[in-house]
Every structure is written in C-alpha cells, then in structure tokens.
Amino acid sequence: RVLVLGSEFPWLEACLLHAGAVEVTTIEYGIIQSLHPQVHTLTPRQAREAYAAGGLGPFDAIASFSSVEHSGLGRYSDAFNPWGDLQAVARLWCVCKPGGGFLLGVPSMDSDEDVIVWNAHRLYGPFLYSHLTANWDQVWQSELRGGDPMRRSGGRHTIVRQRVRVFRKPEMGA
C-alpha cells in the first residue's frame, strides 16, 4: 500500500502501479474521481477523518512530488499555516510503517537560503530541508542536473532544482 500526497494528474500513481504497488491512496486538495480499481482518493478532510477513525494507514511507502512545498500557503484553498509543510511531512511519518519508504521531491536551492515565493511555494535550502525531513533517514538522492535560474532580490541569481530523495522511516527502537 502506497500513499501519494498531492497529485493533480495521476502520473505518480501510474508509476507506482507499474512498479508493483497493489493499492495507491492519493490525498489531494481537489476532488479527484478515479476509475482505476487500485487507486483511491481522499481530500485532506476525508484523510483526517479516516485517520481519527483508525482507517488511514499504515502504508508501506509514501510518495510526494511537487506538493509539500505548497502546504500552508493558501494557494490551493488550504488554511494559512507557516508550518504547513513541516506538519504535512510529520503526518506522513505517522501513517508510514516502521521501515517504510518516503520518496520526496521539493524544489531546492543551490544556496544556503530558504525562500517563500508567496503564495506559490517554498524553496528549500539546507536549514529548512533538515526540518522538513526530521525523523526520516535519507537513503538516496537524485543527481542535480539543469535547473531553473531565478533572479533574487539585490540582483543575485540562484538555481532552483527539483531533486528527488528517498528516505526510510526508522524501525522502532533503532
């Protein structure tokens, strides 16, 4: 069982099913109707209600690409919350089995800065990224290739990349 956080288009779900996932559950702000028998969808509210009733998780793995960085900024009708991204990843940790995997893709910077591009997304430098992935053990990361140049205040330039990293939730007592 795999949980996907944020997916307007089901490309990640298709990849997971192709890789052998038996069941994929997607949490998305918008209402998605899936006709695939192995893909189930929930809004964040439905996910909270399912979790409170003991019906969400545990999942063998979790995947999120280009979603977490939007959490708490109100862009998708979610509540304004300066810690929305950190709380979203913490909630994922709660529904992941010990030893389970977490594939995460968020935009990261080639500088030491953390940036909020209001109200679109966050750009993660090493400080904020370390908080975002607290409690997870990193086991792999993609190479950095290309990237989108972005002009910063004061005329400085930086490169923004959507690096993918894989983490594992530690076993209990490890």
Side-chain angles (χ1 to χ4, degrees):
R1 296 183 58 214
V2 180
L3 177 67
V4 172
L5 180 66
S7 178
E8 290 182 295
F9 304 102
W11 70 270
L12 189 51
E13 291 86 341
C15 290
L16 293 166
L17 290 171
H18 181 74
V22 175
E23 177 184 321
V24 177
T25 300
T26 298
I27 300 174
E28 172 57 42
Y29 288 116
I31 296 173
I32 298 173
Q33 181 181 4
S34 172
L35 301 177
H36 194 288
Q38 292 170 269
V39 177
H40 311 284
T41 62
L42 300 167
T43 63
R45 180 181 182 161
Q46 292 169 327
R48 285 190 302 273
E49 291 169 355
Y51 182 78
L56 184 66
F59 292 94
D60 300 305
I62 296 170
S64 183
F65 186 86
S66 191
S67 178
V68 170
E69 67 271 19
H70 304 288
S71 297
L73 298 179
R75 182 176 182 184
Y76 294 99
S77 300
D78 52 320
F80 292 116
N81 180 347
W83 304 283
D85 57 339
L86 305 178
Q87 290 174 347
V89 173
R91 288 177 179 133
L92 296 176
W93 193 89
C94 290
V95 296
C96 186
K97 288 181 180 178
F102 177 33
L103 180 140
L104 177 64
V106 294
S108 55
M109 306 272 286
D110 68 346
S111 70
D112 290 336
E113 297 178 88
D114 298 300
V115 177
I116 295 178
V117 181
W118 187 257
N119 75 336
H121 56 267
R122 294 172 181 85
L123 303 173
Y124 295 89
F127 180 76
L128 188 54
Y129 199 87
S130 69
H131 290 282
L132 184 69
T133 58
N135 300 320
W136 295 92
D137 294 332
Q138 184 173 314
V139 295
W140 183 84
Q141 69 181 8
S142 64
E143 293 182 28
L144 285 179
R145 295 184 182 173
D148 298 320
M150 181 181 109
R151 182 177 293 276
R152 298 294 318 278
S153 62
R156 295 175 291 151
H157 284 82
T158 189
I159 302 295
V160 177
R161 297 180 170 99
Q162 193 88 1
R163 176 178 263 181
V164 175
R165 292 178 170 102
V166 176
F167 299 87
R168 183 146 324 276
K169 181 178 179 177
E171 298 283 343
M172 301 307 223

